[in-house]
């Protein structure tokens, strides 16, 4: 009988989370892998940081019930596709026929209808679409969405001489150099200076290069202009050499993108996210702006950009042509575990985050647990 029981449990893909010897009511909790919150044994895309599991075990002890974790066949969280809900939301809505035979009396049996799951065990984003189908507990955490991108290559040092300053600074520097040169030239013409065109140019360039070329003129206005130029160039040169030294001494990495706008308009990198999540829902339903551009890419390349789990999402980012959109806390966990697994930094986060939202437990409508969960 023990062997038959194990086969039965394996067949319906249930994983016992806690065992209690007391005759407590038992409930099925649906979940999908979402590091660092939920781990499903055998699912490589999740990691051991069971925040949600610890919370549920505490609630089960306080509310006096036992719990068993199951997962949807598609491992999705819940999206409305083709007129029906998939993932965890679908499990909370669907009902199944259950037939039970007593182990002590073969002629004793019972037949009843139950839901596939009594509660969503993983933390899920609260969205309006989901709220029309299921209920939520009070928010457990708040998080923003990050962008996981390939770790950038080291910047080439061939053009390092031009990197210390931006293009605007270089334009200002070149413009001021010519301005000083023509000022000296015009001033010399007005005051009948014996210096030639080359003398003025040599002095301006000499100050920039630190050669200390003499400029023997006694006029006060000219001396003030020369002193201002000398002081400005001293500051400019020291800043330039300091930044250049740092660039040459330390590897410099420039991310392929930094913002969601850059991702939406990029011709070389596409957005990717897990299907049936809050992110793909808001992007696909956006009517304008950056979100709509992302949603258009999802519609145009669904097989590439809407993936089944975080493992595929991380692998897409590693390939170098995708930016993986996922809650930032989850991305930090995925980055750390990917680094440990491969002993190198293969992915990183873009600077900008977006779409802040609350995460909570799924509950069926009119669930008797909602009030108790909210109070706890």
């Amino acid at each position: 009988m023990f062997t038959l029981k194990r086969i039965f449990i394996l067949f319906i893909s249930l994983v016992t989370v806690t065992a209690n010897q007391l005759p407590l009511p038992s409930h099925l909790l649906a979940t999908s892998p979402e590091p660092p919150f939920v781990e499903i044994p055998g699912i490589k895309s999740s990691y051991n940081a069971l925040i949600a599991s610890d919370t549920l075990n505490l609630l089960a002890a306080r509310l006096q019930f036992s719990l068993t974790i199951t997962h949807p066949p598609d491992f999705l969280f819940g999206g409305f596709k083709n007129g029906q809900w998939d993932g965890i939301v679908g499990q909370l809505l669907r009902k199944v026929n259950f037939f039970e035979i007593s182990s002590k009396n073969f002629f004793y049996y019972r037949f009843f209808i139950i839901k596939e799951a009594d509660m969503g065990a993983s933390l899920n984003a609260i969205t309006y679409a989901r709220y029309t189908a299921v209920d939520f507990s009070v928010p457990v955490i708040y998080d923003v969405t990050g962008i996981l991108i390939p770790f950038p290559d080291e910047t080439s040092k061939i053009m390092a001489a031009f990197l210390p300053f931006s293009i605007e600074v270089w334009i200002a520097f070149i413009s001021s150099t010519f301005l000083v040169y023509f000022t000296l030239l015009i001033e010399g013409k007005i005051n009948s200076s014996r210096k030639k065109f080359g003398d003025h140019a040599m002095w301006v360039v000499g100050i920039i290069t630190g050669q200390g070329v003499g400029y023997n003129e006694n006029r006060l206005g000219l001396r003030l202009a020369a002193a201002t130029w000398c002081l400005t160039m001293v500051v400019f040169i020291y800043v330039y050499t300091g930044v250049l030294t740092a660039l040459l001494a330390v590897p410099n990495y420039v991310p392929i993108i930094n913002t969601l706008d850059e991702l939406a308009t990029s011709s070389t990198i596409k957005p990717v996210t897990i299907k049936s999540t809050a992110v793909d829902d808001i992007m696909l339903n956006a009517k304008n702006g950056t979100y709509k551009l992302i949603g258009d890419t999802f519609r145009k390349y669904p097989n590439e950009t809407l993936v089944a789990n975080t493992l595929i999402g991380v692998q897409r980012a590693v390939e170098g042509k995708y930016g993986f959109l996922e809650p930032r806390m989850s991305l930090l966990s995925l980055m750390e575990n990917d680094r440990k697994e491969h002993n190198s930094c293969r992915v990183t986060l873009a600077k900008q985050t977006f779409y802040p939202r609350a995460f909570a437990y799924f509950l069926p409508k009119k669930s008797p647990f909602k009030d108790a969960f909210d109070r706890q």
Side-chain angles (χ1 to χ4, degrees):
M1 180 56 67
F2 180 74
T3 303
L4 291 175
K5 183 178 180 181
R6 292 186 61 185
I7 294 174
F8 177 71
I9 292 175
L10 180 61
F11 176 74
I12 61 174
S13 301
L14 298 180
V15 182
T16 300
V17 175
T18 120
N20 198 317
Q21 300 300 322
L22 297 176
L24 301 178
S26 179
H27 299 280
L28 292 178
L29 280 68
T31 188
S32 286
E34 177 71 0
F37 304 113
V38 177
E39 176 192 20
I40 297 179
I43 304 301
K44 190 177 180 182
S45 60
S46 59
Y47 299 98
N48 188 15
L50 305 182
I51 298 175
S53 177
D54 294 342
T55 304
L56 290 170
N57 286 330
L58 180 61
L59 289 171
R62 289 187 177 183
L63 300 177
Q64 292 295 292
F65 67 87
S66 63
L67 51 92
T68 303
I69 285 186
T70 183
H71 59 75
D74 50 19
F75 286 99
L76 300 176
F77 294 96
F80 193 71
K81 303 290 189 300
N82 300 320
Q84 61 183 2
W85 287 91
D86 56 20
I88 300 173
V89 176
Q91 280 192 294
L92 294 177
L93 297 176
R94 289 191 298 269
K95 296 181 179 180
V96 295
N97 299 327
F98 196 82
F99 184 78
E100 183 181 64
I101 301 177
S102 172
S103 59
K104 296 181 179 180
N105 186 350
F106 181 77
F107 295 99
Y108 176 78
Y109 64 90
R110 57 177 179 166
F111 178 82
F112 48 95
I113 299 175
I114 62 172
K115 291 183 181 293
E116 284 191 19
D118 301 303
M119 191 182 77
S122 60
L123 295 175
N124 300 274
I126 300 175
T127 66
Y128 175 76
R130 289 173 175 174
Y131 191 74
T132 61
V134 296
D135 217 338
F136 291 91
S137 68
V138 294
V140 178
I141 63 166
Y142 292 86
D143 199 7
V144 295
T145 304
I147 309 173
L148 192 71
I149 57 176
F151 196 86
D153 296 327
E154 184 178 350
T155 303
S156 173
K157 292 182 170 57
I158 296 177
M159 302 296 290
F162 301 99
L163 295 178
F165 298 125
S166 65
I167 184 65
E168 294 82 5
V169 174
W170 283 117
I171 292 174
F173 166 70
I174 295 172
S175 300
S176 62
T177 300
F178 280 102
L179 178 63
V180 170
Y181 170 72
F182 285 114
T183 299
L184 295 176
L185 189 63
I186 294 171
E187 194 277 341
K189 286 291 184 180
I190 294 174
N191 293 283
S192 302
S193 174
R194 289 181 294 180
K195 291 188 178 296
K196 301 178 181 179
F197 296 115
D199 297 330
H200 298 302
M202 286 296 295
W203 181 80
V204 171
V205 174
I207 296 300
I208 295 174
T209 57
Q211 298 303 310
V213 178
Y215 196 78
N216 299 320
E217 294 287 350
N218 295 324
R219 294 181 295 279
L220 179 60
L222 192 59
R223 287 187 172 187
L224 290 175
T228 302
W229 177 248
C230 291
L231 180 60
T232 303
M233 286 301 100
V234 166
V235 174
F236 184 88
I237 291 168
Y238 274 103
V239 171
Y240 174 81
T241 55
V243 175
L244 180 61
T245 301
L247 288 174
L248 295 175
V250 179
N252 185 33
Y253 300 96
V254 179
I256 189 170
I257 59 165
N258 279 308
T259 67
L260 188 67
D261 289 336
E262 293 178 5
L263 176 62
T265 57
S266 174
S267 60
T268 58
I269 183 168
K270 298 186 185 75
V272 60
T273 193
I274 299 176
K275 57 186 175 182
S276 296
T277 59
V279 174
D280 87 321
D281 178 70
I282 192 173
M283 300 298 181
L284 290 173
N285 291 296
K287 302 301 182 184
N288 51 57
T290 302
Y291 284 10
K292 183 180 183 301
L293 293 176
I294 299 288
D296 291 341
T297 304
F298 289 162
R299 280 183 284 269
K300 188 175 181 179
Y301 307 101
N303 295 331
E304 294 181 51
T305 59
L306 296 175
V307 298
N309 55 58
T310 54
L311 179 64
I312 302 176
V314 173
Q315 189 57 44
R316 286 278 198 276
V318 171
E319 291 174 7
K321 298 180 181 179
Y322 300 90
F324 182 32
L325 310 180
E326 179 76 354
R328 187 173 184 274
M329 197 176 298
S330 175
L331 292 179
L332 290 173
S333 174
L334 292 167
M335 285 174 54
E336 175 63 16
N337 285 279
D338 186 78
R339 184 191 63 81
K340 290 179 180 179
E341 183 176 348
H342 296 91
N343 294 317
S344 64
C345 294
R346 306 196 304 164
V347 288
T348 187
L349 289 179
K351 184 176 181 180
Q352 185 193 42
T353 58
F354 64 99
Y355 187 26
R357 58 195 185 278
F359 291 79
Y361 294 116
F362 282 154
L363 292 161
K365 290 291 187 181
K366 299 180 180 180
S367 170
F369 287 108
K370 177 169 171 50
D371 291 340
F373 268 52
D374 291 349
R375 286 195 301 270
Q376 294 294 328

